[in-house]
């Protein structure tokens, strides 16, 4: 995992190398200063040698300025390297997510992916900066200060050795016990983000249903879970500070007591004791920095595991070795197709589907909720792969096509219509980025979108808010149909895409599709019989199986499900008159 993540340092390798180099120089400078201070006390002050004091004082000042300069450069390069590393990681994750199949997307929650792209990346970024700076500085300061302490007095240096062993044991205990708790924390973060995302996405529904109190309580519960998990982790982490303080003050007391005895017995000078106090502070501060790094790395490891999971996820849908890049026509054949979202042959969502659709035909699909209507059509552009059997488009198995080429010829308006922030033109050009204004207007006329677009002050340059919140459901559907038409596909799939428009507009759209794109195969999923009664064939689905196939008149006469839906809708129409 570490090697994989390190590969994303990329162009920031230079900054990643320069940072520890400047840290090394800074550490060397800081270790020399106490040694010079001892020399001033023992050789300058005790001998009243002002010339010596001035000379060493100037040298100390120069070394201090050099230390400051190296520290500033280390901070600059460290920040650059960690921020760049985070950028590369975030970009790599986002790019990999774009390659995910619907099956991969189903595996990760949206909130979970957002947390990984934000909180987890930030944790890894902070940890990387600490690794470049503190992980280099703290051990070096520890080693250098220990060497200088041994050179000054071997006996007193044993005090530091004992402190290092004691603190190392405590830090190991903290790290091994906190890691699993932080893993649990980030899972609760996913739940918290999911609560916020769901609320903001459906804020209009929340307000219209007066469910603010319910949503507030749900958020409080998710927030409380995060807080409780953090408290569990912090209960162990809080041991770090008091243990560190205890060790530091114990070292100072031992140094003071033992050092005073040595000065009295003339086995140590005052300057040496003063420098030992400074080295003691450096050693203990180094240990404190190491403990902070351990805490940060513990958190970052949990985040890194989650990031690595996304980076290593491979799309379940891939191109064959020599993919076919041209779709001959819009004919579709289902041969003994079974499909399961769980990939379990015992839990099939579609069973034994056999179906033949000729190029240019208009096919209607009708069925109750959960009958797998959307599932059936999502297999055509290979948004999912069949569990068993095969689907052929243009006489070729969809698994033999180049995925991008296939999907460019299959234009699909999903059940949940999505518009992105930007102008109407920008949204429509998702269908064809090179579409001219004339082509955009023509597509909008076919989908009856031009009616309302022309009423906007800015027309086709009207800005659409994220999610299309400033247009109605029916307007959103018509814009999505226009976007699909701009692709000029061989197959057009409308998944209940006219449910929010009135029957008159629905009829106009169907008439335009029939006359203007007659060579395109059209598959229309609808709840209204009127939306599909003119289809060449109508498929009735029931519980993942094809219950019947026929024309409107044939199904009305011979199929109980179709007839029941038809009569209930006709009765409703009669009651409204």
């Amino acid at each position: 995992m570490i090697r994989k993540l390190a590969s994303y340092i990329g162009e920031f390798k230079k900054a990643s190398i320069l940072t520890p180099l400047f840290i090394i120089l800074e550490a060397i400078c800081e270790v020399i200063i106490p040694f010079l201070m001892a020399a001033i006390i023992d050789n300058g002050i005790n001998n009243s040698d002002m010339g010596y004091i001035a000379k060493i004082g100037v040298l100390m000042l120069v070394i201090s300025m050099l230390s400051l300069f190296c520290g500033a450069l280390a901070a600059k390069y460290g920040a650059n390297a960690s921020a760049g590393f985070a950028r590369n990681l975030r970009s790599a994750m986002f790019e990999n997510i774009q390659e995910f199949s619907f099956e991969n997307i189903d595996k990760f929650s949206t909130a979970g992916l957002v947390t990984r792209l934000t909180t987890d990346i930030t944790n890894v970024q902070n940890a990387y900066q600490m690794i470049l700076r503190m992980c280099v500085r703290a051990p070096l300061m520890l080693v250098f200060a220990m060497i200088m302490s041994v050179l000054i007095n071997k006996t007193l240096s044993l005090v530091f050795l004992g402190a290092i062993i004691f603190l190392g044991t405590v830090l190991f205990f903290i790290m091994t016990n906190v890691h699993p708790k932080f893993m649990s924390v980030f899972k609760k973060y996913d739940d918290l983000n999911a609560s916020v995302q769901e609320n903001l996405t459906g804020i209009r529904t929340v307000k219209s249903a007066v469910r603010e109190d319910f949503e507030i309580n749900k958020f409080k519960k998710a927030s409380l879970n995060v807080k409780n998990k953090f408290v569990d982790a912090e209960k162990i982490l809080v041991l770090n500070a008091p243990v560190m303080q205890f060790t530091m003050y114990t070292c100072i007391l031992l140094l003071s007591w033992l050092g005073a005895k040595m000065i009295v017995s003339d086995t140590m000078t005052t300057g040496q004791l003063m420098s030992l106090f400074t080295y003691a502070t450096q050693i203990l501060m180094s240990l404190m920095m190491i403990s902070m790094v351990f805490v940060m790395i513990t958190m970052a490891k949990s985040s890194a595991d989650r990031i690595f999971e996304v980076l290593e996820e491979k799309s379940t849908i891939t191109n064959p070795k020599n993919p076919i890049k041209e779709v001959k026509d819009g004919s579709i054949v289902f041969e003994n197709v079974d499909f399961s979202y769980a990939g379990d042959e015992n839990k099939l969502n579609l069973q034994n589907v056999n179906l033949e659709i000729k190029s240019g035909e208009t096919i209607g699909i009708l069925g109750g909720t959960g009958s797998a209507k959307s599932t059936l059509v999502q297999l055509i552009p290979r948004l999912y792969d069949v569990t068993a059997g095969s689907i052929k488009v243009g006489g070729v198995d969809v698994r033999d096509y180049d995925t991008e080429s296939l999907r460019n010829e299959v234009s699909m308006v999903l059940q949940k219509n999505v518009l992105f922030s930007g102008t109407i033109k920008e949204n429509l050009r998702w269908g064809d980025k090179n579409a001219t204004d004339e082509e955009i207007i023509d597509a909008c006329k076919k989908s009856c979108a031009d009616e309302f677009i022309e009423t906007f002050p800015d027309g086709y340059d009207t800005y659409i808010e994220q999610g299309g919140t400033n247009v109605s459901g029916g307007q959103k559907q018509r814009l999505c149909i226009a976007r699909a038409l701009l692709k000029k596909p061989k197959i057009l799939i409308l998944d209940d895409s006219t449910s929010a428009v009135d029957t008159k507009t629905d009829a106009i759209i169907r008439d335009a599709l029939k006359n203007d794109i007659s060579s395109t195969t059209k598959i229309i999923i609808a709840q209204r019989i009127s939306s599909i009664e003119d289809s060449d064939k109508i498929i009735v689905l029931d519980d993942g199986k094809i219950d019947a196939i026929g024309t409107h008149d044939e199904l009305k006469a011979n199929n109980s499900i179709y007839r029941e839906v038809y009569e209930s809708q006709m009765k409703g129409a009669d009651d409204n008159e």
Side-chain angles (χ1 to χ4, degrees), residues 16-32 63 66-75 131-145:
S16 298
I17 293 170
L18 286 174
T19 300
L21 285 178
F22 282 115
I23 287 292
I24 292 170
L25 291 173
E26 182 189 20
I28 292 172
C29 290
E30 289 193 16
V31 169
I32 292 173
I63 292 174
L66 180 60
S67 175
L68 176 64
F69 178 72
C70 291
L73 286 178
I131 288 169
L132 289 179
R133 299 184 65 195
M134 288 191 183
C135 264
V136 174
R137 176 188 173 84
L140 277 176
M141 288 293 294
L142 189 66
V143 172
F144 290 163

Side-chain angles (χ1 to χ4, degrees), residues 105-208:
I105 294 169
D106 293 340
K107 180 179 176 180
F108 299 94
S109 68
T110 303
L113 289 173
V114 170
T115 304
R116 293 165 204 246
L117 283 163
T118 52
T119 304
D120 288 328
I121 289 285
T122 301
N123 286 340
V124 170
Q125 176 183 342
N126 292 336
Y128 185 59
Q129 185 169 16
M130 292 183 81
I131 288 169
L132 289 179
R133 299 184 65 195
M134 288 191 183
C135 264
V136 174
R137 176 188 173 84
L140 277 176
M141 288 293 294
L142 189 66
V143 172
F144 290 163
M146 274 298 298
I147 291 172
M148 297 302 292
S149 299
V150 170
L151 291 175
I152 291 171
N153 192 295
K154 293 179 181 178
T155 304
L156 289 185
S157 65
L158 293 175
V159 173
F160 303 141
L161 182 62
I164 292 169
I165 294 171
F166 173 68
L167 282 175
T169 305
V170 173
L171 290 175
F172 178 78
F173 168 78
I174 291 174
M175 188 172 182
T176 52
N177 283 274
V178 167
H179 175 63
K181 293 185 180 295
F182 275 121
M183 284 295 290
S184 179
V185 165
F186 293 127
K187 289 179 182 176
K188 293 299 178 184
Y189 255 131
D190 292 348
D191 295 338
L192 181 66
N193 284 343
S195 176
V196 173
Q197 181 186 16
E198 189 176 48
N199 178 269
L200 295 178
T201 302
I203 191 67
R204 288 168 174 78
T205 304
V206 172
K207 289 186 174 297
S208 62

Side-chain angles (χ1 to χ4, degrees), residues 90-105:
R90 193 176 290 113
S91 297
M93 284 179 69
F94 190 79
E95 287 172 13
N96 199 42
I97 290 169
Q98 300 309 302
E99 299 297 323
F100 283 180
S101 66
F102 277 29
E103 184 180 342
N104 297 118
I105 294 169

